[in-house]
Amino acid sequence: MYSLYSWGSPFTAEGLYSFDPSCLSIQAYLRLSQAEWQLHNVSSASVSPNNCLPALTCGQAVVESGFWRIVEFLKSEGYDLNADLDEEQLSQSTAYISMVQDSLVDLLLFSWYLVSENFAESIRPRLAKLFGFPLSLFIPTQLKDHAENRLESRGIHSAATTETKAASEFSTSTSASANSLRSKIPRIYLLAKEGFKSHEDKSSNPVYAQANKCLDALSKKLDNKEYFFGSKPTALDTVVYGYLSLMLYPDLPQGTLKSMVIEEFPNLSEFCDRIHAQMEPPSIGPEQNWAAGVGSMVKQSILQFASMRSYSLPNTQDDPELASKIVSVAGALGIFFGYTIYKGILPVPGMRSPTPAVRTLPVISSSDILSVVKGGSS
């Protein structure tokens, strides 16, 4: 049985077991190729030697990571969804997959992170709950920054960003003190404020026109067939599902993207539903949380320290400095594990603890955010 290490999901209620389209694509590939596999949700890519997810393991060894490498490995294992395609069809499949991965990822990032209503009211709270404390303090914002940087490098901006720049230029010419006050307001409040007053016709952003061309090409290729190359699924089908499912199934406050797919390309929506109906809940392996990650690092440090000495340790009475280091390390480990047990992160051996509560950031409502901003909170 294979083990797939994948980014977790805040959309399990919608039947999606990752928030990453590449991870969902590989999950669909494994399911449609009828391979035996188990899913492990992780909050770090450290399981992969090249820090890339998804990662596939067989036994105790990581065999491959990343979509294409995993597909090639599964092909060598006899799980080849492209087995019936000729050379021309394989070339077409590669071209369509490249188009999807290049165009639809921008559309998804824009909808999740640059449409501020979606980020502030849905994406950020869900990601915070997924990663848990303390990762919830910075991971959602880091993901947003990454999305903004990628889209800005491709000339894609939100209307709220344009309005923010214009307002900033105006405030610079009218009041330096206003700029000083604005700089003290937490960034998440500004994001929410700008999002709630942002442009009404959000579909006018050029990113939708760009994505429309990609979706139109996919719709024409699919036509009225069950899958893109006939009656059997291929790798292209799994990739398109990985992206479309994240557009169609999560409910977001601003649903321009979902409406566009359903209303303008109904055959793509129906195609996604067909594959989604086959995505039975996977067998879930142990999840990795932040405490497990820290514990793993501590374990590795201990093993590394022990492996450095195959000979007997010197007498600590002859080396007071070494004795002090050993006491310090032991004390630090004692404090760490004592804190985790006290906080309920690790259970006390032999005791049944009550069901732990999920530790997440408090969800801030839009009314709370607006009241703070309007009140000139610093």
Side-chain angles (χ1 to χ4, degrees), residues 7 29 96 114 120 165 176 209 242 247 262 315:
W7 293 113
Y29 193 103
Y96 276 106
L114 265 67
K165 291 181 178 179
M247 299 177 185
I262 293 176
N315 191 336

Side-chain angles (χ1 to χ4, degrees), residues 120 124-125 128-129 133 136-137 358-365 368:
R124 183 180 183 276
K129 184 177 181 179
F133 181 84
S136 58
L137 297 175
V358 177
R359 301 181 62 198
T360 64
L361 287 178
V363 178
I364 306 175
S365 66
D368 292 336

Side-chain angles (χ1 to χ4, degrees), residues 75-97:
K75 178 181 176 180
S76 68
E77 293 278 292
Y79 300 102
D80 185 8
L81 290 181
N82 292 339
D84 295 334
L85 301 184
D86 57 33
E87 291 187 6
E88 181 180 356
Q89 290 173 324
L90 286 172
S91 298
Q92 291 179 0
S93 175
T94 301
Y96 276 106
I97 288 175

Side-chain angles (χ1 to χ4, degrees), residues 166-189:
S168 178
E169 292 173 359
F170 175 78
S171 61
T172 299
S173 61
T174 56
S175 173
S177 61
N179 279 341
S180 176
L181 176 62
R182 181 182 178 84
S183 67
K184 295 179 182 179
I185 299 177
R187 184 166 181 263
I188 183 58
Y189 297 147

Side-chain angles (χ1 to χ4, degrees), residues 3-228:
S3 293
L4 180 68
Y5 289 82
S6 168
W7 293 113
S9 175
F11 309 119
T12 53
E14 291 87 347
L16 302 176
Y17 293 91
S18 180
F19 71 89
D20 178 74
S22 292
C23 293
L24 284 177
S25 297
I26 285 296
Q27 291 176 24
Y29 193 103
L30 288 165
R31 177 65 67 192
L32 295 177
S33 64
Q34 299 182 349
E36 293 186 10
W37 61 289
Q38 185 179 56
L39 178 65
H40 298 261
N41 292 323
V42 296
S43 57
S44 169
S46 59
V47 67
S48 169
N50 58 354
N51 287 321
C52 177
L53 292 178
L56 191 71
T57 68
C58 185
Q60 298 297 321
V62 178
V63 291
E64 286 299 349
S65 60
F67 176 80
W68 284 112
R69 291 182 175 180
I70 293 177
V71 167
E72 286 300 315
F73 170 78
L74 291 173
K75 178 181 176 180
S76 68
E77 293 278 292
Y79 300 102
D80 185 8
L81 290 181
N82 292 339
D84 295 334
L85 301 184
D86 57 33
E87 291 187 6
E88 181 180 356
Q89 290 173 324
L90 286 172
S91 298
Q92 291 179 0
S93 175
T94 301
Y96 276 106
I97 288 175
S98 297
M99 178 185 67
V100 168
Q101 293 178 333
D102 185 61
S103 298
L104 294 191
V105 68
D106 289 343
L107 185 60
L108 195 59
L109 292 176
F110 180 89
S111 176
W112 282 16
Y113 299 107
L114 265 67
V115 178
S116 300
E117 299 97 320
N118 291 345
F119 180 73
E121 297 182 21
S122 180
I123 298 301
R124 183 180 183 276
R126 287 194 183 205
L127 290 177
K129 184 177 181 179
L130 170 66
F131 285 98
F133 181 84
L135 299 181
S136 58
L137 297 175
F138 53 87
I139 290 295
T141 304
Q142 284 185 345
L143 291 173
K144 179 177 175 62
D145 290 341
H146 171 76
E148 288 178 340
N149 292 336
R150 172 187 165 90
L151 295 176
E152 185 175 358
S153 69
R154 300 168 71 89
I156 300 173
H157 307 277
S158 68
T161 302
T162 304
E163 292 176 3
T164 303
K165 291 181 178 179
S168 178
E169 292 173 359
F170 175 78
S171 61
T172 299
S173 61
T174 56
S175 173
S177 61
N179 279 341
S180 176
L181 176 62
R182 181 182 178 84
S183 67
K184 295 179 182 179
I185 299 177
R187 184 166 181 263
I188 183 58
Y189 297 147
L190 290 176
L191 289 172
K193 179 185 176 185
E194 290 156 3
F196 298 140
K197 69 171 186 180
S198 62
H199 59 306
E200 304 218 355
D201 184 16
K202 299 178 179 63
S203 60
S204 64
N205 194 287
V207 71
Y208 291 109
Q210 171 187 328
N212 189 279
K213 296 179 181 179
C214 176
L215 293 171
D216 183 63
L218 290 173
S219 179
K220 291 178 179 177
K221 175 62 178 174
L222 180 63
D223 197 19
N224 59 358
K225 301 188 294 293
E226 185 176 1
Y227 300 105
F228 281 97

